[in-house]
Amino acid sequence: MDTTQRADYERVAAAIRYLEAHQQEQPSLEEVAAHLHLSPFHLQRIFKRWAGISPKRFLQFLTAEHAKRLLAESHSVLDAAYGAGLSGPGRLHDLLVSVEAVTPGEFKARGAGLSIACGRHDTPFGECLLAVTERGICGLFFLGEGGWAEALAELQRRWPEARIVEDAARTQPLADQIFPPGPTGGPRSVNLLVRGTNFQIKVWEALLRIPAGQVTTYGTLARAIGQPRAARAVGSAVAANPIAYLIPCHRVIRQSGLIADYRWGSTRKKAILGWEFARQGASTVEDSPAPAERW
């Protein structure tokens, strides 16, 4: 992933934050561009290069109205996906993602005897820590305000007895596979190694059944795993997801259409969802501007 795409993401995120802070004022494209010290033309070009669509259309994807429309229309899609079963690979863009859980004995060992390599990498959504073992990816954390040190501490907390070494050369090929810089050329397989309770793993497997460009709610996810009264517990399991993006917890939103509740920040969640919506060619958004902006 080149630094241009990361820089584009940082500007897109700054635009989203500005619009959230000034929603009642309905700022224009010119006002947002001025806040970012860019020309309106340059801001349009950055959005087009990063998301493939204009900032106006990108932000339309992020309105509660659009999210609620997706929720209303996605039931049949999700029911079919969940009905296919929760074991085996789930499709994520052009990746075939499969999950392997540690055994009960390995769970109790807390990673003892396990060697984990980790590296710091650029993605379309900012920098991340990617962690891998011989059996698969065991962690993907976007870097927040605490930076690399905080992400590394989180990895160590999840695998307290494991031997962790920084080795970006080992993790780079997988980073390129997850976030390819160019055309992908067809499906590729990615294995994940997770350490969690049986309930958490069931929820994480269910998340893999949510197609890109679709969203669901905590209640729908609870029903999908056969525990309709466990929406709150499902929310906790979603929040505990140790592998961002690949296990797409960003696709779970509130019934109201509000896009929030993301451990790596609501701005990043909106950026990822908008980016996915754009790449799925969502056609349910009218060309008229959303209420929160005048572009």
Side-chain angles (χ1 to χ4, degrees):
M1 191 60 53
D2 59 40
T3 55
T4 297
Q5 191 165 23
R6 175 160 53 105
D8 287 350
Y9 164 70
E10 295 299 337
R11 291 184 174 121
V12 168
I16 293 173
R17 287 192 294 268
Y18 181 83
L19 286 163
E20 288 176 330
H22 298 84
Q23 183 175 358
Q24 297 302 319
E25 302 160 30
Q26 299 187 32
S28 65
L29 172 64
E30 289 75 16
E31 290 168 329
V32 178
H35 174 75
L36 300 179
H37 305 291
L38 300 170
S39 69
F41 172 79
H42 193 188
L43 180 56
Q44 286 269 18
R45 186 172 63 179
I46 286 171
F47 260 88
K48 188 74 173 179
R49 182 170 62 205
W50 183 79
I53 55 175
S54 70
K56 169 186 170 180
R57 193 159 179 80
F58 180 85
L59 290 165
Q60 282 178 298
F61 287 146
L62 300 183
T63 64
E65 288 76 12
H66 175 60
K68 286 187 285 187
R69 189 181 305 124
L70 281 178
L71 289 174
E73 296 173 352
S74 67
H75 286 306
S76 59
V77 175
L78 296 176
D79 287 345
Y82 294 140
L86 296 178
S87 61
R91 187 169 180 82
L92 173 73
H93 297 304
D94 59 344
L95 290 176
L96 298 177
V97 182
S98 58
V99 172
E100 176 187 353
V102 299
T103 66
E106 290 171 326
F107 185 94
K108 293 179 180 178
R110 307 197 306 168
L114 193 67
S115 178
I116 299 175
C118 63
R120 184 172 185 165
H121 303 284
D122 289 333
T123 83
F125 317 110
E127 290 184 299
C128 79
L129 180 155
L130 180 63
V132 304
T133 73
E134 291 183 355
R135 291 159 62 185
I137 295 168
C138 65
L140 197 164
F141 311 124
F142 289 113
L143 303 193
E145 293 181 1
W148 174 258
E150 180 181 65
L152 193 59
E154 174 67 8
L155 177 64
Q156 186 71 73
R157 184 185 71 78
R158 289 183 175 274
W159 302 91
E161 302 299 327
R163 175 177 174 268
I164 298 175
V165 296
E166 294 184 33
D167 188 353
R170 181 178 169 190
T171 54
Q172 186 66 59
L174 278 168
D176 291 339
Q177 209 175 338
I178 300 165
F179 304 106
T184 60
R188 295 144 297 133
S189 297
V190 174
N191 296 323
L192 310 181
L193 177 66
V194 295
R195 179 176 180 266
T197 66
N198 290 339
F199 181 83
Q200 288 174 328
I201 292 167
K202 182 180 286 190
V203 171
W204 298 339
E205 287 178 329
L207 289 171
L208 289 172
R209 296 290 170 181
I210 307 172
Q214 296 287 342
V215 291
T216 192
T217 64
Y218 299 100
T220 299
L221 203 60
R223 290 192 293 274
I225 65 171
Q227 300 196 39
R229 298 184 179 181
R232 181 168 296 181
V234 163
S236 297
V238 169
N241 171 29
I243 304 178
Y245 185 73
L246 289 174
I247 298 177
C249 56
H250 58 273
R251 296 181 190 153
V252 185
I253 66 173
R254 298 183 189 179
Q255 186 68 49
S256 65
L258 180 65
I259 300 174
D261 307 322
Y262 193 53
R263 61 175 299 189
W264 291 285
S266 64
T267 296
R268 182 174 276 112
K269 180 172 183 172
K270 291 176 182 178
I272 296 174
L273 283 175
W275 192 83
E276 287 188 342
F277 293 158
R279 276 157 176 71
Q280 289 300 307
S283 59
T284 57
V285 181
E286 296 84 2
D287 290 332
S288 58
E293 28 84 9
R294 294 186 284 112
W295 331 350

